[in-house]
């Protein structure tokens, strides 16, 4: 939190409120969009408020892509473009999250003292603690990959305000290890969500008026969940989702990798 210095109580309150505002920019695939919505939910639980105005924020998070060099170059350019904000607000914290954070790690921290927080795709639950670490003047890094993390228990805060379409992540990671692809190295091995948690999230969306849902994963065909009653693969999950929501008769269920 910003130091009190010799400011009036009203000014201190204003600075505190500003610090608790988070601005998120998302680059790359639909999975990153879904991840940003998970991040907003996690930070909301910690008292942060999402803002659409970058100049109002005390915390800026950039959710990044590493699929091509051009994607990373856009982030380096964006960091330079917003560097002036740190001159205006010395308490401002900037975080790089997502695939580029996982791939480059320390190199991001060393960049002209612009980046305070570096968080990989499987470490978003640690964000509140890492932000506190950055507040204390330390560089905060967590890029540990997980074989279990799916964020299944977190209800994402939808950033697209159209109230009609939404993404639902059903699995994370990839086992294909293609020579040209960085995904297994930055998002880890495949793991699938409990189908009950997928059904719960889809129901929440339809209860809120959403009418188009896209099931997401690095490779949705690889979805698999072992239950006592048998194995649930991707075809079975599609069937469960479709039959669980009668509203799909007049709505859309999509999937993409």
């Amino acid at each position: 939190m910003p130091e009190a210095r010799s400011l009036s109580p009203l000014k201190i309150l204003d600075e505190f409120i500003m610090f608790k505002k988070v601005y998120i920019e998302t680059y790359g695939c639909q999975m990153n969009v879904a991840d940003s919505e998970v991040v907003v939910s996690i930070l909301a639980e910690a008292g942060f408020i999402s803002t659409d105005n970058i100049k109002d924020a005390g915390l800026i998070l950039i959710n990044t892509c590493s699929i091509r060099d051009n994607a990373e170059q856009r982030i380096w350019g964006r960091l330079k473009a917003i560097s002036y904000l740190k001159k205006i607000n010395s308490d401002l914290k900037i975080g790089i999250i997502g695939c580029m954070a996982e791939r480059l790690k320390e190199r991001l921290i060393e960049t002209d003292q612009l980046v305070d927080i570096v968080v990989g795709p499987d470490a978003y639950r640690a964000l509140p603690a890492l932000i506190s670490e950055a507040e204390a003047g330390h560089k905060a890094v967590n890029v540990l990959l997980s074989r279990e993390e799916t964020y299944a228990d977190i209800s994402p805060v939808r950033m697209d305000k159209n109230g009609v379409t939404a993404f639902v992540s059903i699995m994370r990671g990839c086992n294909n290890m293609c020579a040209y692809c960085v995904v297994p190295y930055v998002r880890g091995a495949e793991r699938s969500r409990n189908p009950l948690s997928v059904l719960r999230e889809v129901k929440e969306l339809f209860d809120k008026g959403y009418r188009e849902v896209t099931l997401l994963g690095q490779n949705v065909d690889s979805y698999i969940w072992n239950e006592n009653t048998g194995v649930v693969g991707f075809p079975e999950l599609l069937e469960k989702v479709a039959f669980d929501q009668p509203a799909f008769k007049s709505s859309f269920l999509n999937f993409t990798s």
Side-chain angles (χ1 to χ4, degrees):
M1 189 174 67
E3 293 179 7
R5 301 189 288 275
S6 11
L7 303 173
S8 69
L10 214 52
K11 182 66 175 175
I12 294 170
L13 180 60
D14 286 344
E15 286 202 0
F16 178 79
I17 292 171
M18 183 180 185
F19 175 75
K20 280 293 189 178
K21 287 184 178 179
V22 57
Y23 174 86
I24 299 184
E25 282 187 7
T26 305
Y27 295 81
C29 65
Q30 294 100 324
M31 281 295 293
N32 273 8
V33 174
D35 278 0
S36 288
E37 294 177 338
V38 167
V39 167
V40 172
S41 181
I42 290 169
L43 293 181
E45 287 291 320
F48 282 83
I49 302 166
S50 181
T51 178
D52 294 329
N53 187 343
I54 194 170
K55 293 181 180 179
D56 283 347
L59 172 65
I60 298 171
L61 297 178
I62 303 178
N63 196 351
T64 59
C65 174
S66 274
I67 199 69
R68 295 180 180 86
D69 179 65
N70 182 57
E72 292 186 352
Q73 292 306 318
R74 288 183 68 191
I75 303 305
W76 291 120
R78 186 58 176 147
L79 282 172
K80 289 180 182 177
I82 64 174
S83 61
Y84 76 96
L85 292 171
K86 279 214 163 189
K87 296 174 183 176
I88 297 171
N89 177 12
S90 60
D91 294 313
L92 175 67
K93 304 301 176 189
I94 296 177
I96 296 294
I97 65 176
C99 296
M100 189 172 167
E102 189 69 40
R103 198 180 85 79
L104 296 182
K105 306 176 183 70
E106 289 83 5
R107 185 180 164 196
L108 287 163
I109 287 293
E110 294 165 359
T111 306
D112 301 325
Q113 302 300 309
L114 287 177
V115 178
D116 306 286
I117 303 165
V118 176
V119 186
D122 290 348
Y124 295 145
R125 291 182 194 270
L127 265 168
L130 292 168
I131 293 165
S132 295
E133 193 175 330
E135 286 177 55
H138 307 293
K139 298 294 184 179
V141 181
N142 188 336
V143 291
L144 293 176
L145 291 174
S146 168
R147 289 188 174 272
E148 292 84 31
E149 184 62 86
T150 62
Y151 303 108
D153 59 315
I154 294 173
S155 295
V157 174
R158 306 296 165 181
M159 298 175 71
D160 189 336
K161 305 302 183 185
N162 68 17
V164 177
T165 64
F167 296 123
V168 174
S169 174
I170 64 169
M171 56 90 68
R172 300 176 71 83
C174 182
N175 291 345
N176 289 337
M177 306 300 291
C178 301
Y180 56 83
C181 184
V182 74
V183 168
Y185 302 98
V186 296
R187 283 191 170 269
E190 290 175 357
R191 61 273 190 203
S192 300
R193 280 179 65 177
N194 185 324
L196 293 178
S197 73
V198 176
L199 294 176
R200 170 189 53 76
E201 187 172 332
V202 172
K203 183 179 186 305
E204 287 177 357
L205 288 168
F206 274 83
D207 288 347
K208 291 176 181 177
Y210 286 81
R211 287 298 175 263
E212 183 174 1
V213 170
T214 300
L215 304 182
L216 288 179
Q218 257 71 46
N219 185 4
V220 292
D221 290 345
S222 297
Y223 177 90
I224 189 164
W225 182 266
N226 292 301
E227 292 185 330
N228 294 331
T229 54
V231 175
V232 178
F234 185 55
E236 291 79 23
L237 179 67
L238 281 175
E239 185 178 34
K240 284 176 178 289
V241 172
F243 280 102
D244 189 65
Q245 289 299 322
F248 270 128
K249 292 178 181 178
S250 57
S251 304
F252 299 92
L253 174 60
N254 310 311
F255 58 89
T256 187
S257 292

